């Protein structure tokens, strides 16, 4: 097959095909993750990132190249989750910048776009690591530039580029020892190739899925369009009800139809969008409890909001409602100039107890999320918008959220965002404790960063797959004690593993151990652990209720 140029309609088809193939194969990508922890995996993060862009692209009926590129770039940047998702969004951003000025794309334009994509992605990462998605992308760029002048057939060109990228991916275990130990290739590189290979199949005319469920815009925007009405005097259903279902059972097309049919029986203005492991729901009803009860049969609920439309005269989505309610509150209270702070705080956290700790320390907005569900760049920007301050500090509290926070900083226009690179909850708490009121924001970032540097953090959870790391044979279901460096202890007893983890983290300078009990942790066992540690050393042990899911205990040693 010979194809010398690609127009925007083919670009759109190929992009949507690539997104859908990644969606279908995300679990394959997830299984390549080195650490067998039940976290927000690479495949899931990359899928949610590209699907954010795919929904915007799918909503364009007859776009030109510039419109197509804007949808890809904007959608992926704001929907980016996790480090792999942010890097993917930057690759797409660089790629679309290069092709946006063209009416059609040929081999030369593609080669330049590959090069610009890699440049954009490498700039986004402070310390690029080889043997990752970046290496695979760079290999493709180098091969693309090498092929310019040798062929003008896009099909032949892309085939050689993709084969070379696959070869580079197979070499990633030789570049990163941790990959070699686990016997896997880099998951981010696999995710990138999955997208590109899906797009290539569409170019070849193979039968691929290009439709996007919930297309038209992001679920949040869809809710906005469905909610706002000019005539609020005649409202059949009085409560605008919104929530997210964190799925705990299968939610296939049949279940989705049954759920939508039920919502239709109790209300209207229904938006129900299934996205990976969650379902975003919007419905107008006179009995929100019925919708909530039915939703609970599929999983747990979060981001719940119920608005009385008869009182407010019209609905609004979560973001618009919070902003308008805040502005109205400020207007009613006639705030003095002093009520607007110089500095505010946004922290990522999960668990009732941990959320309360951050609030007590002065955090203005807590974003529910973390290891099991990395918040997107858009989530962070929306949280920042709620803070009544010119300078806003972001505490990601997870190494996989730092890039999304930094991307939010770059996209923010009205407020100055300062990212304190906290990699875990204990570091976030230490950073807040060390904040100095009245100090210059940039200096405070340094002070807060210095304050968290002496904190060693660990966590106790269970293994979700068999693997071998650092000489430790791990079986699915084993209890693991992880430090901020590696898996320290593996065993069958939560109590024994937690004790072993704390002992491995302590040294002669240790003075304080803090234990945060998760929702499945035992406070009784925490006190037993505390007693043993205090009996065998001079350190003080504090116990707090964290309420975090997945992790039986979070621990810190200072």
């Amino acid at each position: 097959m010979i194809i010398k140029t690609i127009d925007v309609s083919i670009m759109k088809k190929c992009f949507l095909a690539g997104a859908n193939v990644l969606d279908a194969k995300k679990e394959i990508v997830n299984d390549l993750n080195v650490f067998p922890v039940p976290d927000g995996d690479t495949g899931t993060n990359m899928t949610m990132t590209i699907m954010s862009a795919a929904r915007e692209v799918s909503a364009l009926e007859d776009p030109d190249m510039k419109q197509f590129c804007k949808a890809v770039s904007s959608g992926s940047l704001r929907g980016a989750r996790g480090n792999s998702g942010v890097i993917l969004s930057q690759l797409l951003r660089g790629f679309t910048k290069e092709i946006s000025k063209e009416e059609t794309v040929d081999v030369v334009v593609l080669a330049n776009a590959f090069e610009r994509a890699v440049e954009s992605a490498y700039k986004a990462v402070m310390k690029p690591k080889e043997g990752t998605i970046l290496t695979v992308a760079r290999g493709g760029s180098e091969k693309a530039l090498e092929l310019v002048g040798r062929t003008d057939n896009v099909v032949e060109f892309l085939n050689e580029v993709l084969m070379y990228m696959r070869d580079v991916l197979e070499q990633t275990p030789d570049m990163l020892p941790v990959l070699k130990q686990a016997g896997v290739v880099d998951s981010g590189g696999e995710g990138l190739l999955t997208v590109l290979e899906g797009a290539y199949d569409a170019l070849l005319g193979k039968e691929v899925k290009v439709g996007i469920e919930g297309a038209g815009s992001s679920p949040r925007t869809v809710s906005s369009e469905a909610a706002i009405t000019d005539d609020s005097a005649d409202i059949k259903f009085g409560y605008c009800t919104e929530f997210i279902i964190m799925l705990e059972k299968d939610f296939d097309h049949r279940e989705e139809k049954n759920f939508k049919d039920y919502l239709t029986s109790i209300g209207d203005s229904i938006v129900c969008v299934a996205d990976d492991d969650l379902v975003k729901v919007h419905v107008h009803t006179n009995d929100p409890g019925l919708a909530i009860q039915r939703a609970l049969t599929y999983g747990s609920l979060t981001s719940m909001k119920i608005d009385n439309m008869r009182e407010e005269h019209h609905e609004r989505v979560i973001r618009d409602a919070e902003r308008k309610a805040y502005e109205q509150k400020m207007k009613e209270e006639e705030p003095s100039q002093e009520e607007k702070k110089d500095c505010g705080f946004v922290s990522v956290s999960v668990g009732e107890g941990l959320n309360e700790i951050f609030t007590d320390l002065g955090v203005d907005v807590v974003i529910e999320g973390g290891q099991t569900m990395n918040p997107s760049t858009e989530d962070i920007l929306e949280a920042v918008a709620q803070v009544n301050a010119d300078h806003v500090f972001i505490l990601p509290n997870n190494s996989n959220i730092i890039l999304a926070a930094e991307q939010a900083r770059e996209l923010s226009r009205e407020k100055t965002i300062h990212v304190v690179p906290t990699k875990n909850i204990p570091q976030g708490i230490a950073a807040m404790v060390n904040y100095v009121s009245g100090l210059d924001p940039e200096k405070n970032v340094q002070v807060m960063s210095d304050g968290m540097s002496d904190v060693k953090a660990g966590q106790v959870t269970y293994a979700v797959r068999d693997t071998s790391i650092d000489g430790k044979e791990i079986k699915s279901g084993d209890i693991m004690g992880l430090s901020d460096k590696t898996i320290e202890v593996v065993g069958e007893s939560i109590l024994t593993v937690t004790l072993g983890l704390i002992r491995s983290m302590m040294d002669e300078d240790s003075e304080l151990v803090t234990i945060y009990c998760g929702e499945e942790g035992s406070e009784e066992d925490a006190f037993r652990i505390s007693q043993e540690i205090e009996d065998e050393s001079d350190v003080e042990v504090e116990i707090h209720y964290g309420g975090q899911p997945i992790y039986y205990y979070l621990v810190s040693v200072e």
Side-chain angles (χ1 to χ4, degrees), residues 130-151:
E130 296 308 324
T132 66
I133 181 176
L134 292 171
T135 307
V136 177
R138 193 185 70 234
S141 172
E142 291 171 350
K143 188 64 175 179
L145 292 172
E146 176 188 321
L147 291 170
V148 171
R150 286 172 42 185
T151 180

Side-chain angles (χ1 to χ4, degrees), residues 59-79:
L60 301 174
E61 292 185 7
D62 188 23
D64 58 26
M65 192 69 79
K66 187 174 182 179
Q67 292 170 330
F68 164 76
C69 290
K70 182 179 180 180
V72 172
S73 180
S74 176
S76 61
L77 285 172
R78 291 184 171 270

